[in-house]
Amino acid sequence: MNKAVIGLQWGDEGKGKIVDYLSEDFDLVVRYQGGNNAGHTVIVDDITYKLNLIPSGVIRGKVCYLGQGVVLDPKHFSKEFQQIKKKINDPQVFLSSNISLILDYHKQLDKINESILNPNKKIGTTSKGIGPAYQDKVGRKSIKLYDLKSKKILEEKINAIKKFYDPILDNFNELKVNVEQTVQDLLSFYDLVKELIVDNSSIKKEYKNKKILFEGAQGALLDLDHGSYPFVTSSNTVSSNIVIGSALQVDYKTIGIFKAYATRVGNGPFPSELVNEIGDYIAEKGLEIGTVTKRKRRCGWLDLVSLKYSCEINRVSELCMTKADVLNNLSEVKVCKSYNSKDYEDINFSESNILDSLLLENNDFEVFPGWGDTKDLSKFEKLPDNLKKFINYIEMYLNIPIKIISLGPERNQTIIR
Ligand code: GDP
Ligand code: IMO
Ligand code: MG
């Protein structure tokens, strides 16, 4: 059965680690949305791999595919591909010809978009040009990978883009679009990657009866439509976007992944946020520094209310919990079980001002005694009783089994039930 690993919080749940772990049993590992705003860290045998675009299956030598829903920055991809080639022998990475590109003006526009907002209204994007690139896709102005075959088409399209964006760029003292340079860069990029570009139908045919693992980027609460707009990313992160973003019309089972606490990088509501020494402790212990922007991640208790919502919108059938080891030395661990006595059915998660009013002090928590050490535990049965009680409570609340438990960043620090 095909599977999908989807983040249920605000990203950084450990998707990269688990995709690497699971990919052993799959033939193809696929990204279907997002771009190099994603940052996935995987540690195998003391070697650290940092991936932004290339699915983590590449570490096991699996064939990896970036589907048409991804936005791809050619400059970034070239660097990441070179980096991975230093660590992996002959990485197998293929790109849908229908991918939309992120170009320099998207990154400039991302910066401009943020600069015009009041400080408390800034999204806190990764500055990778993601929003403007998706805007161009919807606005039917994207440069697609398939355009790179023709200098004439590129010149025509980029000239039109120049007419559209130069007045804005100029107004904000940004460099105007340089048509000649952009075309030249794209043609050079094409020379580098033309062997990797495939059309949607050929990949569909080739992997028709093979096993596919889909790697989500970001998390359900950053979904463009389901998340707390406007503090979201610009793609649909949820599993229902898989068929559109990959153009692979297959069935799959969704594994929802969450941390035993919550983090958020960037702005927006966070009802279980801990702006105190416990939050700082979790950030330090969990090494909660953003891979892409190096920003400190905001930390809080696990929020079961939003987790239940995320499970529902992703049709999650089994769960993976990561990073409970980070909480090992705490004397007590809490989980948020309702917002100000409101259950999740009564909350509108897609309006940030509603979520913003849900302050930590008014929310209801279940309190668990700490569970101590989790080192060198390879079986569920051997876990400390208090951790088992914590896991059991979450399963009962969500009514979904936790089948994978990750207790450290290394590939082998993983328990399957
Ligand atoms: P992703 O974006 O969902 O792939 O997650 P990130 O890679 O951005 O962030 C997860 C971080 O936690 C990475 O640094 C991982 O190496 C690390 N990690 C993953 N699982 C665990 C775990 O179970 N315990 C600990 N301590 N670290 C983990
Ligand atoms: P992974 O795949 C955490 C956040 C940004 C910002 C918002 C919009 O590593 O889990 P964007 O640049 O996408 O327009 O920024 O989304 N964000 C992430 N936060 N993990 C990610 O990816 C993220 N990708 C985007 O911080 O709040
Ligand atoms: Mg990440």
Side-chain angles (χ1 to χ4, degrees), residues 46-57:
D46 288 333
I47 302 175
T48 300
Y49 301 85
K50 290 203 179 282
L51 298 160
N52 303 112
L53 272 171
I54 301 175
S56 304

Side-chain angles (χ1 to χ4, degrees), residues 333-351:
V333 175
K334 298 185 186 181
V335 296
C336 178
K337 58 181 178 182
S338 77
Y339 298 152
N340 203 359
S341 304
K342 274 191 188 155
D343 214 2
Y344 96 107
E345 285 93 352
D346 307 321
I347 314 270
N348 185 351
F349 282 90
S350 53
E351 285 183 30

Side-chain angles (χ1 to χ4, degrees), residues 63 66 80 152 191 217 248 309-310 338 380 388 413:
V63 181
L66 303 186
E80 190 175 330
K152 190 164 163 278
D191 276 344
L248 297 164
Y309 169 72
S310 295
S338 77
F380 180 77
K388 282 192 207 151
Q413 292 173 302

